[in-house]
Amino acid sequence: MLLGKTFLLIVLRALRIDSHRPFGSREAFCFVCGVCVYVVCVCQRYPIGKKKQNRHLALSDDHRSLVTVKRRTMVDSHDPESAESCSLTEDDVEPKLKYVRLSNDIKNILSEEAISCIAVHPRFLCLGTHWGRIHMLDHQGNCVHTVINRKENAHILSVNRISVDSRGEQIATCSDDGKVIISGLYTDENNQVLSTGKIIKAVELDPNHNRSGSGKRFIIGDNKLVMYEKTFLKGLKSTILSDSEGQVTAIKWNGQFVAWASSLGIHVYDLNEKCSLGFIQWEEPKEGKLTDYRCNLNWSNATTLLIGWVDTVRICVIRKRNAVEVSTRNLPVHIVDPMSTFQTDFFICGIAPLETNQLVVLGYAKERDSETNKALRPILCVLQYNASDYIEICTDSLSMRGYEEYKCDDYHLDCLIDENQYFIVSPKDVVVANLYETDDRVQWLIEHGKFEQAMDVIATHGGKYSLITVARLYLDHLLSLQHFDEAARLCQRVFGTDKQLWEEEVYKFVKVKQLRSVSSYIPITDACKLNPHVYEMVLYEYLQLDPNGFLQLVKEWPPRLYNTKAVINAVNDHFNKKDANILLEALAILYTHEKEFDRALTMYLKLQHKDVFELITTYELYGMVKDCIVQLIELDSERAIAMLLKDKIPAEDVVRELEHCEQYLYRYLDAYDKVTSNEKFHWRLVNLYARYEPDKLLSFLKRSNSYPIQEAYDICQGLKFYPEMVYLLDKMGSTREALTIIMHNLQDVPMAIDFCKEHDDMDLWNDLINESVDKPHVMTKLLNSIAGFINPELLVDKIKPGQDIEGLKESIIKMLCGYSLQVSIQEGCNQILGADYFDMHERLVRVQQGALCVTPDHVCGVCRRDIIVKDNMKTDIVMFNCRHYFHEPCLLDKYNLDICIVCNTKKLGSTGTF
């Protein structure tokens, strides 16, 4: 069979038939036997599809939430051969990867041949074709002139697998022709050509193949897994590592571990322990056989194996067993532990690692085109996996050349893990996917209107785009959407105190007449003061469209920001009756800024606006308000009076202005009396209190002495204010007349009694008694109250025989009890006083009869020498109870010893002579 395929290929070449062009009809190769169908399927070239397709992929039912992700489609441009022909349709999902189609020399290669496999090294690409040739290229698609490129076809049939050592110095290839070829890029010293006579689907070089003492090992697979290594005599020694359940289809070597796939599943072999670590049996697909699909193996690190086969992904971790378990049960040190298994909605063409718990998977759609029944575009998915399912982060649908005619195994995926670079290969195309860098992300976000995210990325990661550049684009975007408030907030957040940026960008709001939106955010501090013209434009727009807003800004903005005269002229030019009050208030504020206080004051008074008080007090315009005091009180009497009481305006001037407004005069004088001790206006207050607040008159009369009593009495008499009349009569000494008013006008007996008690005048008592004789109820009250003030007999004698007085008996008993009690109290007090007198006299005598101490510290009150002296003649000492001591010879009148000459007081006690 193998010889038949080889012969067929030779015949096709001899006939100069391009085996990569599609056969138009069955007659084109009817002379060939059925075996040629295999060659056609492998080598056929498919047309490049033009149809775009956006697919939607939902997560599996195992997820609690159903997530739909838009797939981006890579389409061809008008020039399908150009590197820029790899483009993406726009959607709302931020891409994870960016793509570029390789061109340059690879275009010439693909025009004649079709790719069967690829191997990627950080230094180059190595492509295997269905013609059996090997091509070395750099990462831009340019041919690298090496020994391998200059050689004739390495194989006569399709290259199935290419393996490159870690240093990129040796390349191993295998093919259906049964050959395994190992070639050096720089030397042919270790070149090998191994003819097995069997179909070889997989070969893998030792990653350390070029290391000295490594044995130049490599592994191949047919129906066994065999390792070859160089012997001492440069021969090859083969070692069967394991038998296989059918053909070995894939091998991946990583350190001491080798993963390989058979027709039933995946094995992991430990080269150090020389044993298999386990077998992962794969489930047969629902349609077709397991051998119809290529097993895709990859190592994400030293111990993590990625497997993608048919539509199932499995991630396995190699870990060490427990030491006790290894020693007691004679088991390998390591074990393969599956940590995640999940099924995808597509067939898997390749698998590669990305970040932690993330994979890049190349997929082939299970469904077909509904119209043509041809294959759909391949997809490249970024998946985040967990134990039993995954989340689709990003899915890109790629338009590879000829994708409509390809099968699942026609696609390959290889990667440079350290560079996060992925190579997607089809028979007629090579596309390189790279992770989006910061600048790529920012550009995509800008193109899709996600400016906030773009600014966050720049703030976090930097890049070639500046925050200001993106902010300006964002501002244009918001203005185009008429999101004016949001645009204004953006200016404040991004421009900050950058004067130049503000002045440049604020004109964008002018064009759309939305300076009002930015007015709340525009800087007004000295740290960032813009050109006055900017603020004037804002004010002018408000003046035209929103007078209330104009007034508010005039109140809030400091006048140093703009030319107030220019704004005043603009207000006068646009003055209208509809908004007259608003504009007049604004003019008052503007005139205040211009120090034209008289105009401002006039406008405030015309508007009856209470800000006039703040204007007067702030700028001390008291000299201007003498003629408008009444207007100010009418506007707000409390604030006006409080202002007038500050002694800035003489009280005489205020009183003179308020002469004709007695109510306002009363309010002012009443407040004035509370804050000052000056009583010069009290003569006015008597009449004002009597008229506007009579309740305060009596207290005022009692506390003041600065009013004419007779005039006050006349006022009170005219208004019949009897309590006030009583007080004034009492003050004038007319107590009997005052008592008459109490008894006849007020008819207040308790008040009359209290009045008599206060003055304790017998004439008043007699008048009261005489007034009460004919009034039994008054007589009773007198009997109850006079005890202790007058002799009760005077009142009892006035009672007429037979006169009916209610409660007389009780009143007399109470009066007598009170009188008796008073007498008893007086007697008790006299006894206490007498006893205290004799006790105190006895104490005084006892004290005066006591001895007095004389010490050398005492001095004579006259000569100021020590009172005790040493001399031959005795000197007598005279002592007084006031504690003054004298030498008897020092006293002027030694025979008159009753008075101390120092204190000149009468002697209180006896004197002693020693």
mmCIF file with all atom_site columns, all heavy atoms in Angstrom, residues 461-479:
data_model
loop_
_atom_site.group_PDB
_atom_site.id
_atom_site.type_symbol
_atom_site.label_atom_id
_atom_site.label_alt_id
_atom_site.label_comp_id
_atom_site.label_asym_id
_atom_site.label_entity_id
_atom_site.label_seq_id
_atom_site.pdbx_PDB_ins_code
_atom_site.Cartn_x
_atom_site.Cartn_y
_atom_site.Cartn_z
_atom_site.occupancy
_atom_site.B_iso_or_equiv
_atom_site.pdbx_formal_charge
_atom_site.auth_seq_id
_atom_site.auth_comp_id
_atom_site.auth_asym_id
_atom_site.auth_atom_id
_atom_site.pdbx_PDB_model_num
ATOM 1   N N   . HIS A 1 461 ? -1.544  50.804 33.107 1.00 0.00 ? 461 HIS A N   1
ATOM 2   C CA  . HIS A 1 461 ? -0.430  50.180 32.395 1.00 0.00 ? 461 HIS A CA  1
ATOM 3   C C   . HIS A 1 461 ? 0.358   51.150 31.521 1.00 0.00 ? 461 HIS A C   1
ATOM 4   O O   . HIS A 1 461 ? 1.411   50.764 30.989 1.00 0.00 ? 461 HIS A O   1
ATOM 5   C CB  . HIS A 1 461 ? -0.955  49.040 31.507 1.00 0.00 ? 461 HIS A CB  1
ATOM 6   C CG  . HIS A 1 461 ? -1.712  47.992 32.266 1.00 0.00 ? 461 HIS A CG  1
ATOM 7   N ND1 . HIS A 1 461 ? -1.100  47.111 33.127 1.00 0.00 ? 461 HIS A ND1 1
ATOM 8   C CD2 . HIS A 1 461 ? -3.042  47.706 32.304 1.00 0.00 ? 461 HIS A CD2 1
ATOM 9   C CE1 . HIS A 1 461 ? -2.010  46.305 33.656 1.00 0.00 ? 461 HIS A CE1 1
ATOM 10  N NE2 . HIS A 1 461 ? -3.212  46.655 33.173 1.00 0.00 ? 461 HIS A NE2 1
ATOM 11  N N   . GLY A 1 462 ? -0.117  52.354 31.329 1.00 0.00 ? 462 GLY A N   1
ATOM 12  C CA  . GLY A 1 462 ? 0.606   53.295 30.478 1.00 0.00 ? 462 GLY A CA  1
ATOM 13  C C   . GLY A 1 462 ? 0.464   52.941 29.009 1.00 0.00 ? 462 GLY A C   1
ATOM 14  O O   . GLY A 1 462 ? -0.575  52.488 28.550 1.00 0.00 ? 462 GLY A O   1
ATOM 15  N N   . GLY A 1 463 ? 1.517   53.128 28.248 1.00 0.00 ? 463 GLY A N   1
ATOM 16  C CA  . GLY A 1 463 ? 1.481   52.840 26.816 1.00 0.00 ? 463 GLY A CA  1
ATOM 17  C C   . GLY A 1 463 ? 1.707   54.096 25.999 1.00 0.00 ? 463 GLY A C   1
ATOM 18  O O   . GLY A 1 463 ? 1.967   55.185 26.521 1.00 0.00 ? 463 GLY A O   1
ATOM 19  N N   . LYS A 1 464 ? 1.593   53.928 24.664 1.00 0.00 ? 464 LYS A N   1
ATOM 20  C CA  . LYS A 1 464 ? 1.875   55.057 23.782 1.00 0.00 ? 464 LYS A CA  1
ATOM 21  C C   . LYS A 1 464 ? 0.755   56.085 23.778 1.00 0.00 ? 464 LYS A C   1
ATOM 22  O O   . LYS A 1 464 ? 0.961   57.233 23.446 1.00 0.00 ? 464 LYS A O   1
ATOM 23  C CB  . LYS A 1 464 ? 2.131   54.560 22.366 1.00 0.00 ? 464 LYS A CB  1
ATOM 24  C CG  . LYS A 1 464 ? 0.893   54.023 21.647 1.00 0.00 ? 464 LYS A CG  1
ATOM 25  C CD  . LYS A 1 464 ? 1.208   53.600 20.215 1.00 0.00 ? 464 LYS A CD  1
ATOM 26  C CE  . LYS A 1 464 ? -0.045  53.139 19.480 1.00 0.00 ? 464 LYS A CE  1
ATOM 27  N NZ  . LYS A 1 464 ? 0.241   52.728 18.093 1.00 0.00 ? 464 LYS A NZ  1
ATOM 28  N N   . TYR A 1 465 ? -0.465  55.663 24.139 1.00 0.00 ? 465 TYR A N   1
ATOM 29  C CA  . TYR A 1 465 ? -1.584  56.598 24.185 1.00 0.00 ? 465 TYR A CA  1
ATOM 30  C C   . TYR A 1 465 ? -1.553  57.362 25.506 1.00 0.00 ? 465 TYR A C   1
ATOM 31  O O   . TYR A 1 465 ? -1.318  56.780 26.560 1.00 0.00 ? 465 TYR A O   1
ATOM 32  C CB  . TYR A 1 465 ? -2.912  55.852 24.062 1.00 0.00 ? 465 TYR A CB  1
ATOM 33  C CG  . TYR A 1 465 ? -3.161  55.247 22.710 1.00 0.00 ? 465 TYR A CG  1
ATOM 34  C CD1 . TYR A 1 465 ? -2.851  53.921 22.459 1.00 0.00 ? 465 TYR A CD1 1
ATOM 35  C CD2 . TYR A 1 465 ? -3.722  55.991 21.676 1.00 0.00 ? 465 TYR A CD2 1
ATOM 36  C CE1 . TYR A 1 465 ? -3.075  53.346 21.218 1.00 0.00 ? 465 TYR A CE1 1
ATOM 37  C CE2 . TYR A 1 465 ? -3.952  55.431 20.431 1.00 0.00 ? 465 TYR A CE2 1
ATOM 38  C CZ  . TYR A 1 465 ? -3.625  54.106 20.208 1.00 0.00 ? 465 TYR A CZ  1
ATOM 39  O OH  . TYR A 1 465 ? -3.856  53.550 18.984 1.00 0.00 ? 465 TYR A OH  1
ATOM 40  N N   . SER A 1 466 ? -1.773  58.644 25.423 1.00 0.00 ? 466 SER A N   1
ATOM 41  C CA  . SER A 1 466 ? -1.836  59.444 26.643 1.00 0.00 ? 466 SER A CA  1
ATOM 42  C C   . SER A 1 466 ? -3.279  59.550 27.115 1.00 0.00 ? 466 SER A C   1
ATOM 43  O O   . SER A 1 466 ? -4.223  59.440 26.334 1.00 0.00 ? 466 SER A O   1
ATOM 44  C CB  . SER A 1 466 ? -1.273  60.852 26.403 1.00 0.00 ? 466 SER A CB  1
ATOM 45  O OG  . SER A 1 466 ? -2.131  61.594 25.553 1.00 0.00 ? 466 SER A OG  1
ATOM 46  N N   . LEU A 1 467 ? -3.421  59.764 28.401 1.00 0.00 ? 467 LEU A N   1
ATOM 47  C CA  . LEU A 1 467 ? -4.753  59.884 28.983 1.00 0.00 ? 467 LEU A CA  1
ATOM 48  C C   . LEU A 1 467 ? -5.499  61.075 28.398 1.00 0.00 ? 467 LEU A C   1
ATOM 49  O O   . LEU A 1 467 ? -6.707  61.014 28.150 1.00 0.00 ? 467 LEU A O   1
ATOM 50  C CB  . LEU A 1 467 ? -4.622  60.036 30.505 1.00 0.00 ? 467 LEU A CB  1
ATOM 51  C CG  . LEU A 1 467 ? -5.905  59.947 31.320 1.00 0.00 ? 467 LEU A CG  1
ATOM 52  C CD1 . LEU A 1 467 ? -6.519  58.568 31.192 1.00 0.00 ? 467 LEU A CD1 1
ATOM 53  C CD2 . LEU A 1 467 ? -5.633  60.259 32.783 1.00 0.00 ? 467 LEU A CD2 1
ATOM 54  N N   . ILE A 1 468 ? -4.773  62.146 28.135 1.00 0.00 ? 468 ILE A N   1
ATOM 55  C CA  . ILE A 1 468 ? -5.413  63.344 27.587 1.00 0.00 ? 468 ILE A CA  1
ATOM 56  C C   . ILE A 1 468 ? -5.936  63.092 26.177 1.00 0.00 ? 468 ILE A C   1
ATOM 57  O O   . ILE A 1 468 ? -7.027  63.528 25.808 1.00 0.00 ? 468 ILE A O   1
ATOM 58  C CB  . ILE A 1 468 ? -4.422  64.519 27.603 1.00 0.00 ? 468 ILE A CB  1
ATOM 59  C CG1 . ILE A 1 468 ? -3.985  64.836 29.042 1.00 0.00 ? 468 ILE A CG1 1
ATOM 60  C CG2 . ILE A 1 468 ? -5.026  65.742 26.953 1.00 0.00 ? 468 ILE A CG2 1
ATOM 61  C CD1 . ILE A 1 468 ? -5.130  65.194 29.956 1.00 0.00 ? 468 ILE A CD1 1
ATOM 62  N N   . THR A 1 469 ? -5.150  62.376 25.378 1.00 0.00 ? 469 THR A N   1
ATOM 63  C CA  . THR A 1 469 ? -5.576  62.083 24.008 1.00 0.00 ? 469 THR A CA  1
ATOM 64  C C   . THR A 1 469 ? -6.886  61.311 23.998 1.00 0.00 ? 469 THR A C   1
ATOM 65  O O   . THR A 1 469 ? -7.826  61.643 23.260 1.00 0.00 ? 469 THR A O   1
ATOM 66  C CB  . THR A 1 469 ? -4.489  61.278 23.277 1.00 0.00 ? 469 THR A CB  1
ATOM 67  O OG1 . THR A 1 469 ? -3.271  62.034 23.270 1.00 0.00 ? 469 THR A OG1 1
ATOM 68  C CG2 . THR A 1 469 ? -4.907  60.972 21.853 1.00 0.00 ? 469 THR A CG2 1
ATOM 69  N N   . VAL A 1 470 ? -6.961  60.287 24.823 1.00 0.00 ? 470 VAL A N   1
ATOM 70  C CA  . VAL A 1 470 ? -8.183  59.486 24.887 1.00 0.00 ? 470 VAL A CA  1
ATOM 71  C C   . VAL A 1 470 ? -9.330  60.309 25.462 1.00 0.00 ? 470 VAL A C   1
ATOM 72  O O   . VAL A 1 470 ? -10.480 60.210 25.006 1.00 0.00 ? 470 VAL A O   1
ATOM 73  C CB  . VAL A 1 470 ? -7.934  58.217 25.728 1.00 0.00 ? 470 VAL A CB  1
ATOM 74  C CG1 . VAL A 1 470 ? -9.217  57.395 25.840 1.00 0.00 ? 470 VAL A CG1 1
ATOM 75  C CG2 . VAL A 1 470 ? -6.833  57.383 25.111 1.00 0.00 ? 470 VAL A CG2 1
ATOM 76  N N   . ALA A 1 471 ? -9.023  61.129 26.442 1.00 0.00 ? 471 ALA A N   1
ATOM 77  C CA  . ALA A 1 471 ? -10.070 61.958 27.045 1.00 0.00 ? 471 ALA A CA  1
ATOM 78  C C   . ALA A 1 471 ? -10.671 62.915 26.019 1.00 0.00 ? 471 ALA A C   1
ATOM 79  O O   . ALA A 1 471 ? -11.884 63.156 26.009 1.00 0.00 ? 471 ALA A O   1
ATOM 80  C CB  . ALA A 1 471 ? -9.501  62.732 28.234 1.00 0.00 ? 471 ALA A CB  1
ATOM 81  N N   . ARG A 1 472 ? -9.830  63.461 25.162 1.00 0.00 ? 472 ARG A N   1
ATOM 82  C CA  . ARG A 1 472 ? -10.353 64.369 24.124 1.00 0.00 ? 472 ARG A CA  1
ATOM 83  C C   . ARG A 1 472 ? -11.261 63.617 23.153 1.00 0.00 ? 472 ARG A C   1
ATOM 84  O O   . ARG A 1 472 ? -12.318 64.126 22.748 1.00 0.00 ? 472 ARG A O   1
ATOM 85  C CB  . ARG A 1 472 ? -9.189  64.998 23.368 1.00 0.00 ? 472 ARG A CB  1
ATOM 86  C CG  . ARG A 1 472 ? -8.484  66.098 24.164 1.00 0.00 ? 472 ARG A CG  1
ATOM 87  C CD  . ARG A 1 472 ? -7.310  66.652 23.411 1.00 0.00 ? 472 ARG A CD  1
ATOM 88  N NE  . ARG A 1 472 ? -6.887  67.935 23.947 1.00 0.00 ? 472 ARG A NE  1
ATOM 89  C CZ  . ARG A 1 472 ? -5.835  68.614 23.523 1.00 0.00 ? 472 ARG A CZ  1
ATOM 90  N NH1 . ARG A 1 472 ? -5.098  68.130 22.536 1.00 0.00 ? 472 ARG A NH1 1
ATOM 91  N NH2 . ARG A 1 472 ? -5.519  69.773 24.074 1.00 0.00 ? 472 ARG A NH2 1
ATOM 92  N N   . LEU A 1 473 ? -10.851 62.426 22.780 1.00 0.00 ? 473 LEU A N   1
ATOM 93  C CA  . LEU A 1 473 ? -11.712 61.624 21.901 1.00 0.00 ? 473 LEU A CA  1
ATOM 94  C C   . LEU A 1 473 ? -13.018 61.271 22.604 1.00 0.00 ? 473 LEU A C   1
ATOM 95  O O   . LEU A 1 473 ? -14.094 61.286 21.989 1.00 0.00 ? 473 LEU A O   1
ATOM 96  C CB  . LEU A 1 473 ? -10.967 60.347 21.492 1.00 0.00 ? 473 LEU A CB  1
ATOM 97  C CG  . LEU A 1 473 ? -9.716  60.534 20.627 1.00 0.00 ? 473 LEU A CG  1
ATOM 98  C CD1 . LEU A 1 473 ? -9.003  59.207 20.438 1.00 0.00 ? 473 LEU A CD1 1
ATOM 99  C CD2 . LEU A 1 473 ? -10.076 61.132 19.281 1.00 0.00 ? 473 LEU A CD2 1
ATOM 100 N N   . TYR A 1 474 ? -12.911 60.942 23.874 1.00 0.00 ? 474 TYR A N   1
ATOM 101 C CA  . TYR A 1 474 ? -14.102 60.618 24.659 1.00 0.00 ? 474 TYR A CA  1
ATOM 102 C C   . TYR A 1 474 ? -15.033 61.827 24.740 1.00 0.00 ? 474 TYR A C   1
ATOM 103 O O   . TYR A 1 474 ? -16.267 61.701 24.635 1.00 0.00 ? 474 TYR A O   1
ATOM 104 C CB  . TYR A 1 474 ? -13.662 60.172 26.041 1.00 0.00 ? 474 TYR A CB  1
ATOM 105 C CG  . TYR A 1 474 ? -14.757 59.588 26.903 1.00 0.00 ? 474 TYR A CG  1
ATOM 106 C CD1 . TYR A 1 474 ? -15.959 59.139 26.371 1.00 0.00 ? 474 TYR A CD1 1
ATOM 107 C CD2 . TYR A 1 474 ? -14.588 59.486 28.288 1.00 0.00 ? 474 TYR A CD2 1
ATOM 108 C CE1 . TYR A 1 474 ? -16.947 58.598 27.165 1.00 0.00 ? 474 TYR A CE1 1
ATOM 109 C CE2 . TYR A 1 474 ? -15.577 58.940 29.099 1.00 0.00 ? 474 TYR A CE2 1
ATOM 110 C CZ  . TYR A 1 474 ? -16.747 58.510 28.527 1.00 0.00 ? 474 TYR A CZ  1
ATOM 111 O OH  . TYR A 1 474 ? -17.727 57.974 29.322 1.00 0.00 ? 474 TYR A OH  1
ATOM 112 N N   . LEU A 1 475 ? -14.434 62.991 24.909 1.00 0.00 ? 475 LEU A N   1
ATOM 113 C CA  . LEU A 1 475 ? -15.239 64.217 24.977 1.00 0.00 ? 475 LEU A CA  1
ATOM 114 C C   . LEU A 1 475 ? -15.997 64.437 23.675 1.00 0.00 ? 475 LEU A C   1
ATOM 115 O O   . LEU A 1 475 ? -17.197 64.753 23.676 1.00 0.00 ? 475 LEU A O   1
ATOM 116 C CB  . LEU A 1 475 ? -14.324 65.400 25.286 1.00 0.00 ? 475 LEU A CB  1
ATOM 117 C CG  . LEU A 1 475 ? -14.989 66.770 25.382 1.00 0.00 ? 475 LEU A CG  1
ATOM 118 C CD1 . LEU A 1 475 ? -16.009 66.788 26.504 1.00 0.00 ? 475 LEU A CD1 1
ATOM 119 C CD2 . LEU A 1 475 ? -13.940 67.858 25.600 1.00 0.00 ? 475 LEU A CD2 1
ATOM 120 N N   . ASP A 1 476 ? -15.314 64.269 22.547 1.00 0.00 ? 476 ASP A N   1
ATOM 121 C CA  . ASP A 1 476 ? -15.987 64.404 21.246 1.00 0.00 ? 476 ASP A CA  1
ATOM 122 C C   . ASP A 1 476 ? -17.126 63.400 21.125 1.00 0.00 ? 476 ASP A C   1
ATOM 123 O O   . ASP A 1 476 ? -18.205 63.719 20.606 1.00 0.00 ? 476 ASP A O   1
ATOM 124 C CB  . ASP A 1 476 ? -14.975 64.196 20.118 1.00 0.00 ? 476 ASP A CB  1
ATOM 125 C CG  . ASP A 1 476 ? -13.914 65.286 20.098 1.00 0.00 ? 476 ASP A CG  1
ATOM 126 O OD1 . ASP A 1 476 ? -14.168 66.368 20.662 1.00 0.00 ? 476 ASP A OD1 1
ATOM 127 O OD2 . ASP A 1 476 ? -12.823 65.047 19.539 1.00 0.00 ? 476 ASP A OD2 1
ATOM 128 N N   . HIS A 1 477 ? -16.875 62.192 21.610 1.00 0.00 ? 477 HIS A N   1
ATOM 129 C CA  . HIS A 1 477 ? -17.894 61.138 21.535 1.00 0.00 ? 477 HIS A CA  1
ATOM 130 C C   . HIS A 1 477 ? -19.126 61.508 22.363 1.00 0.00 ? 477 HIS A C   1
ATOM 131 O O   . HIS A 1 477 ? -20.273 61.373 21.894 1.00 0.00 ? 477 HIS A O   1
ATOM 132 C CB  . HIS A 1 477 ? -17.277 59.831 22.035 1.00 0.00 ? 477 HIS A CB  1
ATOM 133 C CG  . HIS A 1 477 ? -18.242 58.684 22.110 1.00 0.00 ? 477 HIS A CG  1
ATOM 134 N ND1 . HIS A 1 477 ? -18.760 58.074 20.999 1.00 0.00 ? 477 HIS A ND1 1
ATOM 135 C CD2 . HIS A 1 477 ? -18.781 58.053 23.180 1.00 0.00 ? 477 HIS A CD2 1
ATOM 136 C CE1 . HIS A 1 477 ? -19.587 57.111 21.373 1.00 0.00 ? 477 HIS A CE1 1
ATOM 137 N NE2 . HIS A 1 477 ? -19.609 57.073 22.693 1.00 0.00 ? 477 HIS A NE2 1
ATOM 138 N N   . LEU A 1 478 ? -18.911 61.975 23.567 1.00 0.00 ? 478 LEU A N   1
ATOM 139 C CA  . LEU A 1 478 ? -20.040 62.340 24.424 1.00 0.00 ? 478 LEU A CA  1
ATOM 140 C C   . LEU A 1 478 ? -20.817 63.516 23.850 1.00 0.00 ? 478 LEU A C   1
ATOM 141 O O   . LEU A 1 478 ? -22.059 63.541 23.912 1.00 0.00 ? 478 LEU A O   1
ATOM 142 C CB  . LEU A 1 478 ? -19.528 62.683 25.830 1.00 0.00 ? 478 LEU A CB  1
ATOM 143 C CG  . LEU A 1 478 ? -18.959 61.511 26.643 1.00 0.00 ? 478 LEU A CG  1
ATOM 144 C CD1 . LEU A 1 478 ? -18.352 62.017 27.942 1.00 0.00 ? 478 LEU A CD1 1
ATOM 145 C CD2 . LEU A 1 478 ? -20.038 60.476 26.928 1.00 0.00 ? 478 LEU A CD2 1
ATOM 146 N N   . LEU A 1 479 ? -20.115 64.482 23.306 1.00 0.00 ? 479 LEU A N   1
ATOM 147 C CA  . LEU A 1 479 ? -20.812 65.623 22.716 1.00 0.00 ? 479 LEU A CA  1
ATOM 148 C C   . LEU A 1 479 ? -21.621 65.205 21.503 1.00 0.00 ? 479 LEU A C   1
ATOM 149 O O   . LEU A 1 479 ? -22.720 65.724 21.265 1.00 0.00 ? 479 LEU A O   1
ATOM 150 C CB  . LEU A 1 479 ? -19.800 66.711 22.342 1.00 0.00 ? 479 LEU A CB  1
ATOM 151 C CG  . LEU A 1 479 ? -19.097 67.411 23.512 1.00 0.00 ? 479 LEU A CG  1
ATOM 152 C CD1 . LEU A 1 479 ? -18.050 68.389 22.997 1.00 0.00 ? 479 LEU A CD1 1
ATOM 153 C CD2 . LEU A 1 479 ? -20.111 68.133 24.392 1.00 0.00 ? 479 LEU A CD2 1
#
